[in-house]
Amino acid sequence: MQDPQFLRSQDGHVLTFTLNRPQALNAFTATLLAQLRQALDEAADDASVRCVVITGAGRGFCAGQDLSDPLVKPPENAAESPRDIGHILDAYYIPLALRVRSMPVPVIAAVNGVAAGAGANFALGCDLVVAAQSANFIQAFARIGLLPDCGGTWLLPRLVGRARALQLALLGEKLPAAEAQAMGLIYQCVPDDTLAATAQALAQRLSQQPLRAMVQTRQAFDQASLLDFEDALKLEAMTQSQLGFSPDYLEGVTAFLSKRSPKFTDR
Ligand code: T3D
């Protein structure tokens, strides 16, 4: 097996992945995409993991697809051999984006620097995005004749509305982290030297909370955006019914009535 293109560390119940190709601003290679997906699969099955943080080494978070990777680099006779990017998305990006969105634990993106193309949308697909003040987000696709992928067409209009989504996608300009926070694209912009500590503290806090309820909340939000109001109410009732039978609900209510702190353990 090839050397991992990311670092992995665990502190208590918090697992942190650090994309580790700083020489290319952590751009995605086929290897990195496959390794990261496998590592997330393993984390999903690991009962000791209750929150995942994803960040980048060096001055970038992730510059999207590595455009020099053999996976995508146009061949010499490109005019005769057009690449089928759809296959690349099917094989690598769709499974990774779906993996993040279906993790049984919350996923935090700690965006330490530029997040471009699929790197931006990979971050935006996480549950909470915290970014360093010097970071920025770029929908770089338009610059190379593509549309926002890795969930961009779905995520952007939902996060910031159609007008701003089109602004970001069509102009492909650098959006500073502070502006991303102001327009509701991300959760929080923090001073550079506090990013890691802020993300870890947030992750430790989430790791103590009822996991199933948080994950079902994410799923209900995603599903409800496709439903009318009445069906969303029914979905809430059905999901709440399941959560009502969970050990964490019993623990939460018991702890409240006993005037003690709850200890949530369900996963
Ligand atoms: O076939 C397909 O493409 C399918 C998949 C599509 C999904 C996508 O993600 S499409 C979008 C791909 N990403 C981009 O187009 C972004 C390309 N990068 C940039 O525009 C700039 O690097 C940034 C705006 C992100 C940062 O600019 P800057 O000035 O801070 O850094 P830099 O000097 O451009 O980059 C530093 C190094 O990283 C440089 O290498 P060098 O010259 O020092 O050896 C640069 O080549 C390398 N790098 C940055 N981005 C990529 C990259 N190498 C390969 N692929 C990259 N995406």
Side-chain angles (χ1 to χ4, degrees):
M1 176 151 119
Q2 286 179 278
D3 287 342
Q5 296 184 355
F6 62 87
L7 307 173
R8 183 195 151 101
S9 65
Q10 189 162 348
D11 178 10
H13 293 301
V14 175
L15 178 62
T16 300
F17 294 118
T18 304
L19 310 183
N20 193 29
R21 305 189 63 244
Q23 72 283 5
L25 303 179
N26 304 314
F28 284 131
T29 58
T31 304
L32 176 55
L33 288 162
Q35 289 178 342
L36 193 56
R37 183 193 163 197
Q38 190 185 335
L40 286 166
D41 279 345
E42 289 165 10
D45 291 338
D46 183 345
S48 76
V49 175
R50 293 177 61 87
C51 188
V52 169
V53 176
I54 300 172
T55 191
R59 71 176 180 89
F61 173 75
C62 175
Q65 173 61 46
D66 187 316
L67 299 173
S68 65
D69 192 53
L71 180 69
V72 301
K73 195 170 174 209
E76 295 297 316
N77 55 346
E80 293 160 24
S81 309
R83 297 170 302 142
D84 184 350
I85 298 176
H87 281 318
I88 298 167
L89 298 183
D90 283 342
Y92 294 96
Y93 283 96
I94 293 176
L96 181 62
L98 289 176
R99 175 68 279 181
V100 169
R101 209 72 180 176
S102 64
M103 283 297 281
V105 300
V107 182
I108 296 172
V111 179
N112 53 298
V114 64
N121 295 337
F122 172 64
L124 297 176
C126 294
D127 296 314
L128 292 176
V129 185
V130 187
Q133 206 149 15
S134 66
N136 47 66
F137 296 80
I138 310 175
Q139 295 295 322
F141 306 92
R143 298 180 181 187
I144 56 170
L146 296 178
L147 64 78
D149 62 22
C150 203
T153 58
W154 193 91
L155 291 164
L156 292 172
R158 281 173 171 77
L159 288 168
V160 295
R162 185 173 188 272
R164 281 179 164 155
L166 281 170
Q167 170 206 331
L168 297 174
L170 301 190
L171 302 181
E173 290 171 345
K174 277 188 186 178
L175 179 74
E179 284 181 42
Q181 179 189 324
M183 67 165 64
L185 188 70
I186 65 169
Y187 163 50
Q188 199 179 19
C189 165
V190 298
D192 287 16
D193 58 358
T194 66
L195 176 71
T198 302
Q200 289 297 321
L202 193 57
Q204 292 292 348
R205 174 177 159 189
L206 291 179
S207 76
Q208 307 298 319
Q209 293 187 188
L211 287 189
R212 231 195 275 192
M214 290 191 289
V215 168
Q216 295 281 22
T217 300
R218 173 215 290 147
Q219 282 176 6
F221 275 18
D222 287 353
Q223 285 176 262
S225 64
L226 305 171
L227 302 176
D228 64 23
F229 187 58
E230 186 174 357
D231 285 340
L233 288 170
K234 288 178 183 163
L235 175 67
E236 283 173 12
M238 190 185 75
T239 309
Q240 206 72 300
S241 165
Q242 294 165 358
L243 291 172
F245 289 110
S246 72
D248 279 349
Y249 174 63
L250 180 62
E251 168 63 6
V253 174
T254 307
F256 175 77
L257 295 176
S258 315
K259 299 192 185 303
R260 64 169 172 80
S261 299
K263 184 160 174 41
F264 297 111
T265 52
D266 198 18
R267 191 174 190 275

